[in-house]
């Protein structure tokens, strides 16, 4: 086995270390797991909190502009599903997520579940036995916008990550997940 094949997670470890160094704060193991996992965030939160719930904040069909088309590898003008959600346990907001999903890569059934129900993407993929992989592209800290300040009732910095879910060598979904830097520090 070559060294390169044995260092698949090195890039993610380097990313999280760079964010920590730039912020002069060590993150908890739970935060590191949530930021670097190539598995389902929903499954991790279900283990930590018991079954979590998802509430859709905004969702609509749109067309991909140049920025979105580059993120999800479709032509400008392609039809997408824009979705903003909050994952929570009871009244505690846990993670905010924004996603862009090219409609042409979804079955009608998956599209219906995305639009009709507050079902996390991880559960939808599992329910339909979609074989996929996640590639984390960015891990960073950002200042909260008004929506995030309201959702988490704080003005503190946010930990964020951007990743894609790939199915049959195509980007099935682009997702950004965000939570306050003080969240998940005691778990």
């Amino acid at each position: 086995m070559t060294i390169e094949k044995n260092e698949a997670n090195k890039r993610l470890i380097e990313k999280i270390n760079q964010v920590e160094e730039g912020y002069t704060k060590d993150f908890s193991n739970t935060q590191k797991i949530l930021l670097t996992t190539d598995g389902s965030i929903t499954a991790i939160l279900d283990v930590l909190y018991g079954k979590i719930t998802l509430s859709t904040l905004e969702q609509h069909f749109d067309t991909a502009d140049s920025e979105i088309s580059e993120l999800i590898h479709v032509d400008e003008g392609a039809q997408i599903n824009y979705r903003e959600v909050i994952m929570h346990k009871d009244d505690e907001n846990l993670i905010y997520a924004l996603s862009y999903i090219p409609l042409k890569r979804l079955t009608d059934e998956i599209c219906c579940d995305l639009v009709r129900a507050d079902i996390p993407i991880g559960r939808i993929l599992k329910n339909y036995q979609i074989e996929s992989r996640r590639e984390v592209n960015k891990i960073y800290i950002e200042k909260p916008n008004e929506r995030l300040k309201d959702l988490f009732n704080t003005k503190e910095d946010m930990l964020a990550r951007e990743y894609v879910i790939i199915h049959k060598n195509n980007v099935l979904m682009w997702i950004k997940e965000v939570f306050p830097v003080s969240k998940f520090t005691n778990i």
Side-chain angles (χ1 to χ4, degrees), residues 13-182:
I13 294 165
E14 288 171 351
K15 283 182 182 182
I16 205 80
N17 288 340
Q18 288 172 350
V19 174
E20 277 183 319
E21 288 169 13
Y23 198 64
T24 63
K25 177 189 183 310
D26 290 338
F27 303 125
S28 72
N29 288 336
T30 303
Q31 289 173 319
K32 290 177 185 180
I33 289 167
L34 291 170
L35 290 169
T36 61
T37 185
D38 59 2
S40 169
I41 286 285
T42 305
I44 294 169
L45 293 175
D46 283 346
V47 168
L48 294 173
Y49 290 92
K51 188 174 179 183
I52 62 145
T53 308
L54 180 136
S55 295
T56 302
L57 303 170
E58 184 177 342
Q59 180 168 238
H60 61 270
F61 295 120
D62 208 340
T63 55
D65 61 18
S66 61
E67 182 183 337
I68 293 171
S69 66
E70 189 173 319
L71 291 172
I72 59 176
H73 304 162
V74 296
D75 294 331
E76 275 188 60
Q79 291 291 303
I80 63 161
N81 180 8
Y82 173 96
R83 186 181 194 212
E84 286 183 89
V85 300
I86 189 76
M87 293 176 241
H88 56 92
K89 178 65 177 181
D90 302 321
D91 292 333
E92 182 182 0
N93 289 340
L94 302 171
I95 294 180
Y96 162 87
L98 165 67
S99 61
Y100 303 128
I101 305 167
L103 295 179
K104 71 180 186 178
R105 297 188 184 135
L106 298 180
T107 65
D108 291 342
E109 295 83 11
I110 293 173
C111 194
C112 286
D113 276 358
L114 273 172
V115 173
R116 283 194 225 159
D118 288 332
I119 304 172
I121 286 171
R123 287 195 191 128
I124 291 172
L125 295 174
K126 190 169 189 160
N127 290 344
Y128 289 97
Q129 299 177 348
I130 302 296
E131 290 188 33
S132 61
R133 63 185 165 83
R134 290 168 174 82
E135 288 185 5
V136 178
N137 296 320
K138 292 182 183 178
I139 299 170
Y140 55 97
I141 294 176
E142 69 178 18
K143 297 293 182 194
N145 60 26
E146 291 305 314
R147 174 166 259 171
L148 293 173
K149 287 177 189 175
D150 289 343
L151 286 170
F152 293 107
N153 195 29
T154 186
K155 294 178 182 177
E156 72 180 300
D157 290 340
M158 301 283 158
L159 287 168
R161 76 182 196 142
E162 296 177 18
Y163 64 97
V164 290
I165 296 177
I166 297 173
H167 173 64
K168 295 183 179 178
N169 293 320
N170 289 306
V171 174
L172 186 63
M173 303 170 184
W174 175 91
I175 300 171
K176 176 182 177 181
E177 294 168 337
V178 180
F179 56 89
V181 294
S182 64

